[in-house]
Amino acid sequence: MAASSASSSAADPAAALDALVAAKGPLASSAAAQRDDAIERFEANLEQARAEIQEANAAECARAEADGLSAPLLRRLRLDGRHYDGMLASLRALRALPDPIGGVFDESEQPSGITTARMRVPLGVICFIYESRPAVTADGAALCVKSGNAAILRGGKEALQSNLLIAAQMDRALKEAGLPAAVAMLPTADRAPLDAILADPRIDMVIPRGGPGLVRKVKETARCMVLAHLDGNCHVYVAASADLAMARRIAVNAKIGNPSTCNAAESLLVHEDAAAALLPPLAAELAAKGVVLRGCEATRALLGDAAEAAAEEDWGREYLDLVLSCKIVPDTAAAIAWINRYGSHHTDCIVSGDAAEQQRFCREVDSSSVLVNTSTRFADGYEYGLGAETGISTGKFHARGPVGLEGLTTAKWVVRSAGAVRE
Amino acid sequence: MAASSASSSAADPAAALDALVAAKGPLASSAAAQRDDAIERFEANLEQARAEIQEANAAECARAEADGLSAPLLRRLRLDGRHYDGMLASLRALRALPDPIGGVFDESEQPSGITTARMRVPLGVICFIYESRPAVTADGAALCVKSGNAAILRGGKEALQSNLLIAAQMDRALKEAGLPAAVAMLPTADRAPLDAILADPRIDMVIPRGGPGLVRKVKETARCMVLAHLDGNCHVYVAASADLAMARRIAVNAKIGNPSTCNAAESLLVHEDAAAALLPPLAAELAAKGVVLRGCEATRALLGDAAEAAAEEDWGREYLDLVLSCKIVPDTAAAIAWINRYGSHHTDCIVSGDAAEQQRFCREVDSSSVLVNTSTRFADGYEYGLGAETGISTGKFHARGPVGLEGLTTAKWVVRSAGAVRE
């Protein structure tokens, strides 16, 4: 195994970065067909190496289980037939997307006679850091190759052998396609090489994929742009003007659709004029589905023991579970202020029948996605039509919200003329 | 003077920030006409207070001169009739620009039936830090109001009274226009309040306008996005395929058009096949215009004493003076690698008659502006048709190159449907 993965393993992170930096130019200039060819060969190589990779993964799963890895991490570590097929299907879908680089936009002739335009180009070198899931190795590598970026990958230590084998297939594919070695995998035994990478100015962006612990650590350490969200404390606000049947449907879907995802609702805000009609039947429906409500005083006055008392820390929490906090507010301004105070700038929804109120909510709620009469569950790159999801960013800069391939690019100015000089 | 400026002076930075944060919502929701009205009233108030402000400025200029302020800083401090008129003209031009916020783009109906779109919104609170020039107080305040942002301003201590008086006119204008107090001026006597501001997570972006010392300090201290360029080591590369008359015209203009600006050329790269025909006449023309050449060995072999010997540190320098370094390279790949190694990611030009070579240069040179057969002097927000210039950014994220009003905004996702839930 060591032999087949040697070339894509970055035992010396500094040397690995030198090679990735050298790969930047040829990658940035490469034709889309060549990068797509590399991804197609990657798929073929993964198909060919399927038995070897799944065997390594099965051994790692057995070892991790014996070592007492938690059930959710163990689930993510597993690369069985269905997951393997899913990994390959993602690569095919990515390959089919249009080339994200080289495109020129905003072309404009200026009064001086020069022509200004903007060109999409790769960022340079991107570092993916993730926990046990080995499919991210394939996904991260292919996202970077598709977008003309070099990639340095660091997965969880329990998946190291599967990761190295997967990365080796990309390494081979790049060679076969005539592209430079643009993907390197960090050995994960110790933390020091990762810290060195995060402090290296040659890294253009870090994308941590994992729990809040990982994301927080990366955000604290990295000197460059970090594309990430720390957590998703998503709100559903039901205005007085709301269609209450719609509000109930959205609140239930947003909470129970998939409680463990970052776009699940964690908090319900209800205008005081809608509370008496909405909350008792909604609370009953949620309770029937196993959801625990934690309410403010006004909520409890209305629902009695059907809601537990919320503590101050409930308002900022991402439960990722069948728990929902509930606060009754006097007006939409209070709802907006509440969300901006306790929310996580991820995804927040208003259920409202009033256009001016919807507009105000959209403009003033400081979140990456603002949804009108739509379940928070839709906040997702695929649902937004991006074709791929690199991550969800709650920062205000570069890429905000669900991020597709464009988030792995930047735009430079390209100016042309026939020898113009400025007087 | 103290009385008229009290409300816009932020003696307690933390309290000032509280007020600015409270202003964010109403500003983000305000109509364009209301923000333009505030800027128009600001112009009128500045016209009315012209004598008082110019008197304060004259006193500050006299004091600074007596204190031995350097000639360039003294020049920037001066707000005489012509500068005052220029300040007002800039405000009128800014007011005439289209509203940069609220616009919706990339609207798209998804297969699920939801409609996704992106909406331009203000960033929130922006901090402008600048050196002596008091007109930046007017410019920074108006750029922020136009784009719906709150602003905290910090000018040089030698211009404090003029700055406070100018900020007070905006304060009055905002009140008159029915907008919240969205602009605060930091007293500049000591450094501590500024450090506190730069570390405050409620600041969304810092824009330092000044020399490399100021920019470096801000970049090291700030926790948020810094929109800036450290320096402008711009290159003109003359390829073998270049029209040499054009190359000569561009090189001369790029160097001597205005040597003290960041878009002046500091380094000339010449393909070895073009060197013998280009360099001797170009060197003579540059020498006649007072430019000192510092060349590599090959350059000196060609030009003899017409070029000084360049030291290694010359290649990375921003002279801001009538000095130009000159390096002969074997091919375009070497020119690209040279620029990416020694350049400052600001603005670099290729003079070339070959489309494939131009394209390669555009894709691989890692700079915010890449110019083809065009003088570097055009790298400027007004020349690029932005209508205003917030600054020039050499970072790859958010805003790259000359930045207009859009750089003071971000885009959030806005999703609408008639109650869609996700299965």
Side-chain angles (χ1 to χ4, degrees):
Chain A
M1 239 183 305
S4 74
S5 61
S7 53
S8 57
S9 156
D12 174 358
L17 267 178
D18 288 343
L20 297 182
V21 167
K24 283 198 300 183
L27 264 178
S29 273
S30 64
Q34 203 177 2
R35 281 174 274 121
D36 288 342
D37 180 41
I39 297 172
E40 192 169 4
R41 288 169 189 274
F42 183 36
E43 295 160 34
N45 296 347
L46 284 172
E47 197 54 89
Q48 211 178 2
R50 184 192 274 258
E52 188 190 5
I53 293 171
Q54 288 199 318
E55 199 180 312
N57 175 255
E60 286 180 319
C61 287
R63 202 174 315 125
E65 199 166 4
D67 291 350
L69 193 73
S70 75
L73 283 182
L74 203 58
R75 245 193 327 271
R76 285 191 246 165
L77 179 57
R78 189 146 285 142
L79 196 58
D80 61 19
R82 191 171 59 89
H83 290 118
Y84 209 93
D85 291 343
M87 177 172 82
L88 291 171
S90 291
L91 295 176
R92 278 194 299 276
L94 177 69
R95 176 160 52 84
L97 291 175
D99 186 12
I101 59 169
V104 166
F105 61 101
D106 283 356
E107 200 169 49
S108 168
E109 195 176 328
Q110 302 299 336
S112 65
I114 66 172
T115 301
T116 53
R118 312 195 66 204
M119 181 192 271
R120 286 248 150 245
V121 291
L123 284 170
V125 182
I126 295 174
C127 177
F128 269 89
I129 305 175
Y130 45 101
E131 289 169 327
S132 37
R133 214 185 311 234
V136 179
T137 306
D139 191 42
L143 281 165
C144 285
V145 169
K146 178 81 185 182
S147 55
N149 288 286
I152 188 154
L153 308 170
R154 202 260 204 185
K157 63 176 184 304
E158 57 289 330
L160 182 57
Q161 291 310 319
S162 326
N163 285 338
L164 285 172
L165 282 171
I166 292 169
Q169 307 316 314
M170 177 56 103
D171 208 54
R172 214 176 104 201
L174 287 166
K175 268 196 203 81
E176 291 163 351
L179 286 170
V183 174
M185 183 92 216
L186 264 193
T188 55
D190 60 347
R191 170 91 207 176
L194 179 59
D195 287 343
I197 290 284
L198 291 178
D200 197 299
R202 293 173 295 174
I203 298 282
D204 293 290
M205 187 198 271
V206 180
I207 304 178
R209 285 196 188 168
L214 173 69
V215 175
R216 192 171 290 112
K217 176 81 191 159
V218 169
K219 286 202 164 209
E220 282 166 8
T221 315
R223 301 274 318 173
C224 64
M225 172 66 72
V226 178
L227 187 88
H229 65 275
L230 207 49
D231 44 26
N233 177 19
C234 305
H235 293 74
V236 172
Y237 166 56
V238 181
S241 62
D243 170 333
L244 295 188
M246 182 196 288
R248 194 168 139 184
R249 203 164 64 237
I250 287 175
V252 170
N253 180 261
K255 180 66 259 181
I256 68 156
N258 188 345
S260 67
T261 59
C262 60
N263 61 19
E266 306 291 6
S267 204
L268 177 70
L269 303 180
V270 184
H271 190 289
E272 60 185 15
D273 294 347
L278 177 75
L279 280 179
L282 174 58
E285 183 175 352
L286 288 169
K289 295 181 193 284
V291 176
V292 173
L293 271 185
R294 296 203 186 146
C296 66
E297 276 187 34
T299 301
R300 297 196 72 221
L302 201 60
L303 298 180
D305 288 345
E308 297 178 359
E312 172 67 16
E313 69 259 27
D314 276 296
W315 307 123
R317 276 193 59 187
E318 183 185 31
Y319 299 115
L320 296 175
D321 204 349
L322 291 175
V323 183
L324 183 67
S325 67
C326 179
K327 167 79 184 173
I328 294 174
V329 294
D331 53 31
T332 297
I336 292 169
W338 185 272
I339 293 170
N340 286 340
R341 176 172 177 193
Y342 291 106
S344 56
H345 312 295
H346 190 297
T347 298
D348 299 286
C349 159
I350 182 171
V351 187
S352 157
D354 182 286
E357 183 176 59
Q358 294 170 2
Q359 179 73 353
R360 182 173 179 195
F361 189 88
C362 288
R363 289 185 77 150
E364 296 191 22
V365 166
D366 199 13
S367 297
S368 68
S369 286
V370 185
L371 277 54
V372 177
N373 296 333
T374 303
S375 169
T376 58
R377 292 278 301 127
F378 284 98
D380 171 285
Y382 296 94
E383 292 289 343
Y384 283 14
L386 300 178
E389 190 175 284
T390 297
I392 289 185
S393 167
T394 50
K396 290 184 185 178
F397 296 98
H398 183 58
R400 195 176 191 192
V403 180
L405 280 169
E406 193 179 297
L408 304 183
T409 72
T410 174
K412 64 169 70 154
W413 289 92
V414 173
V415 181
R416 295 171 184 274
S417 73
V421 295
R422 186 169 168 195
E423 301 311 324
Chain B
M1 241 183 303
S4 73
S5 60
S7 52
S8 57
S9 157
D12 173 358
L17 268 178
D18 288 342
L20 297 182
V21 167
K24 285 199 302 184
L27 264 178
S29 273
S30 65
Q34 202 178 4
R35 281 174 275 122
D36 288 341
D37 180 41
I39 296 172
E40 192 168 7
R41 289 170 188 274
F42 182 37
E43 294 160 35
N45 296 348
L46 284 172
E47 199 52 90
Q48 211 180 1
R50 184 191 274 257
E52 186 191 5
I53 292 170
Q54 288 200 318
E55 199 180 313
N57 176 254
E60 286 180 320
C61 288
R63 202 174 314 126
E65 200 168 3
D67 291 351
L69 193 71
S70 76
L73 283 180
L74 202 59
R75 245 193 329 271
R76 285 191 245 162
L77 179 57
R78 190 146 286 140
L79 197 58
D80 61 18
R82 191 170 58 89
H83 291 119
Y84 208 94
D85 291 344
M87 177 172 83
L88 291 170
S90 292
L91 296 176
R92 278 193 300 274
L94 178 69
R95 174 159 54 83
L97 291 175
D99 186 13
I101 59 169
V104 166
F105 60 102
D106 283 355
E107 200 167 51
S108 170
E109 195 175 328
Q110 303 300 337
S112 65
I114 66 172
T115 301
T116 54
R118 312 196 63 202
M119 181 191 271
R120 287 248 151 245
V121 291
L123 283 171
V125 181
I126 295 174
C127 177
F128 269 89
I129 305 176
Y130 45 103
E131 289 170 327
S132 37
R133 215 185 310 236
V136 179
T137 306
D139 191 41
L143 281 166
C144 286
V145 169
K146 178 80 185 182
S147 55
N149 288 287
I152 188 152
L153 308 170
R154 202 261 201 183
K157 64 177 183 305
E158 59 288 331
L160 182 57
Q161 290 311 317
S162 324
N163 285 338
L164 286 171
L165 282 170
I166 293 168
Q169 307 316 314
M170 178 55 104
D171 209 55
R172 216 177 102 200
L174 287 165
K175 269 197 201 80
E176 290 164 353
L179 286 169
V183 175
M185 182 92 216
L186 264 193
T188 56
D190 61 347
R191 170 91 209 176
L194 179 58
D195 286 344
I197 290 284
L198 290 178
D200 197 301
R202 293 172 297 173
I203 299 281
D204 292 290
M205 187 198 270
V206 179
I207 303 178
R209 285 198 189 167
L214 173 70
V215 174
R216 193 170 290 113
K217 177 82 194 156
V218 168
K219 285 201 164 206
E220 283 167 8
T221 315
R223 302 275 319 174
C224 63
M225 172 64 73
V226 178
L227 188 87
H229 65 277
L230 208 46
D231 44 25
N233 178 20
C234 304
H235 293 73
V236 173
Y237 165 56
V238 181
S241 63
D243 171 333
L244 295 188
M246 182 196 286
R248 196 168 139 183
R249 204 165 63 238
I250 287 175
V252 170
N253 180 260
K255 180 67 260 181
I256 70 157
N258 188 346
S260 67
T261 58
C262 60
N263 60 21
E266 306 292 7
S267 206
L268 178 69
L269 302 181
V270 184
H271 190 288
E272 58 185 14
D273 294 347
L278 176 75
L279 280 179
L282 175 57
E285 182 176 352
L286 288 169
K289 296 184 191 284
V291 176
V292 173
L293 271 185
R294 295 200 186 149
C296 65
E297 277 186 33
T299 301
R300 297 195 74 219
L302 201 60
L303 297 181
D305 289 345
E308 297 178 358
E312 171 68 18
E313 67 258 28
D314 276 295
W315 306 123
R317 277 193 60 187
E318 183 186 30
Y319 299 114
L320 296 176
D321 204 348
L322 290 175
V323 183
L324 183 67
S325 65
C326 180
K327 167 80 184 172
I328 294 175
V329 295
D331 55 28
T332 298
I336 293 169
W338 186 272
I339 293 170
N340 287 340
R341 176 171 177 194
Y342 291 107
S344 57
H345 312 295
H346 191 294
T347 298
D348 298 286
C349 160
I350 182 171
V351 187
S352 157
D354 182 286
E357 184 176 60
Q358 295 170 2
Q359 179 72 353
R360 183 173 178 196
F361 189 88
C362 289
R363 289 185 75 150
E364 295 191 24
V365 166
D366 198 14
S367 297
S368 68
S369 286
V370 184
L371 277 54
V372 176
N373 296 333
T374 304
S375 169
T376 58
R377 291 278 299 128
F378 285 99
D380 171 285
Y382 296 94
E383 292 290 344
Y384 284 14
L386 300 178
E389 189 177 284
T390 298
I392 288 185
S393 167
T394 50
K396 290 186 185 176
F397 296 98
H398 183 56
R400 194 175 191 193
V403 180
L405 280 169
E406 193 178 295
L408 304 183
T409 71
T410 176
K412 64 169 70 154
W413 290 91
V414 173
V415 181
R416 294 171 185 275
S417 73
V421 295
R422 188 171 167 193
E423 300 312 324

